[in-house]
Amino acid sequence: MANSSPVASIFVDFKSAFDQLWFDECIGKLKKLDIPMFYCKWIDSWLVNRRCFIQINNKKSRWFHIEKGGPQGYVLIPTIFITYNCDLDISLPSSINHLFADDLVGFIAGQIGQKFSEQCLDLEKHCKNFLNHLEYYSLLTDQPINLDKSVATFSARAIVNPRFEIHFNDTPQTKIKWIQNFKYLGYIISSKLGWGKLLK
């Protein structure tokens, strides 16, 4: 019987995350969190009724209203984005999740006390469940996933590649690639669940 279980670490990148910030839902969540009303009104007036135009060389487009997304470069936007996604953790079962700005990491483990093959089957089931809930959440909050930058690592007692695949939408075109190492917040997370050297 095994006394440890394999772990999948799924690294998810939200596509143009700050540009997808949904104003009405964001203010609604702030109110549900009992943020004082004058703060909510201040943030609402800061986000809405903004206009912009596109300029290429000397040609400008007409002015148009910005329906979603936060102003570029403002330090408040990452905080608002994290607050907007404060319910993400309860929306993703059977996993330990970490959200830093627009980068999400979900750690998922197989069941302890079973044979390794059975643990892998259990892990596969939990990974699929995680991705199904994440897909639903991304649709519900209008936060699309960047599949090209979303990957996963597999950690076990022996360094082996998993014998199962994981997908968004359960389609081959949305397969999540298994990799041995991943750079996260300046560190390398390896399949051994170790931290590499700090990257410059």
Side-chain angles (χ1 to χ4, degrees):
M1 302 294 284
N3 54 13
S4 63
S5 64
V7 175
S9 305
I10 302 179
F11 302 90
V12 178
D13 182 74
F14 288 104
K15 191 173 184 179
S16 302
F18 299 158
D19 295 334
Q20 299 292 331
L21 189 66
W22 181 12
F23 298 153
D24 291 340
E25 182 67 13
C26 178
I27 299 302
K29 285 188 178 182
L30 292 177
K31 292 177 180 178
K32 289 179 182 177
L33 292 170
D34 291 328
I35 302 298
M37 188 57 64
F38 60 87
Y39 282 121
C40 293
K41 290 182 178 179
W42 176 76
I43 293 173
D44 182 70
S45 65
W46 178 59
L47 288 174
V48 302
N49 295 324
R50 290 183 294 122
R51 299 192 307 155
C52 69
F53 63 86
I54 298 172
Q55 180 173 343
I56 300 176
N57 295 326
N58 294 323
K59 295 185 177 181
K60 295 181 180 179
S61 71
R62 61 177 177 81
W63 286 89
F64 56 91
H65 287 280
I66 301 173
E67 302 296 335
K68 60 182 178 179
Q72 292 287 332
Y74 282 79
V75 295
L76 185 59
I77 287 301
T79 302
I80 292 178
F81 179 81
I82 292 173
T83 306
Y84 175 61
N85 291 285
C86 65
D87 55 353
L88 178 62
D89 191 56
I90 61 175
S91 301
L92 301 175
S94 305
S95 60
I96 299 174
N97 307 298
H98 299 277
L99 180 66
F100 181 83
D102 58 345
D103 293 317
L104 169 69
V105 183
F107 297 100
I108 306 159
Q111 188 172 350
I112 296 176
Q114 295 181 337
K115 293 180 180 179
F116 182 73
S117 59
E118 294 174 348
Q119 289 177 331
C120 288
L121 289 173
D122 185 65
L123 178 61
E124 179 183 9
K125 179 183 69 175
H126 287 304
C127 286
K128 290 181 177 179
N129 192 36
F130 173 87
L131 292 175
N132 287 338
H133 280 81
L134 179 61
E135 179 192 0
Y136 178 74
Y137 182 87
S138 71
L139 293 172
L140 192 66
T141 59
D142 197 19
Q143 292 285 323
I145 303 297
N146 189 342
L147 297 177
D148 293 332
K149 293 185 178 180
S150 297
V151 295
T153 61
F154 178 80
S155 305
R157 289 169 295 158
I159 303 302
V160 295
N161 291 323
R163 296 183 179 180
F164 61 89
E165 296 180 348
I166 53 177
H167 307 262
F168 281 104
N169 303 322
D170 290 325
T171 58
Q173 294 81 7
T174 58
K175 182 173 72 171
I176 303 298
K177 182 180 179 181
W178 293 107
I179 60 174
Q180 293 295 319
N181 301 288
F182 184 78
K183 178 184 174 182
Y184 183 66
L185 302 183
Y187 286 86
I188 293 293
I189 300 179
S190 71
S191 293
K192 296 180 180 180
L193 283 185
W195 293 89
K197 293 182 179 180
L198 180 66
L199 299 180
K200 296 182 180 179

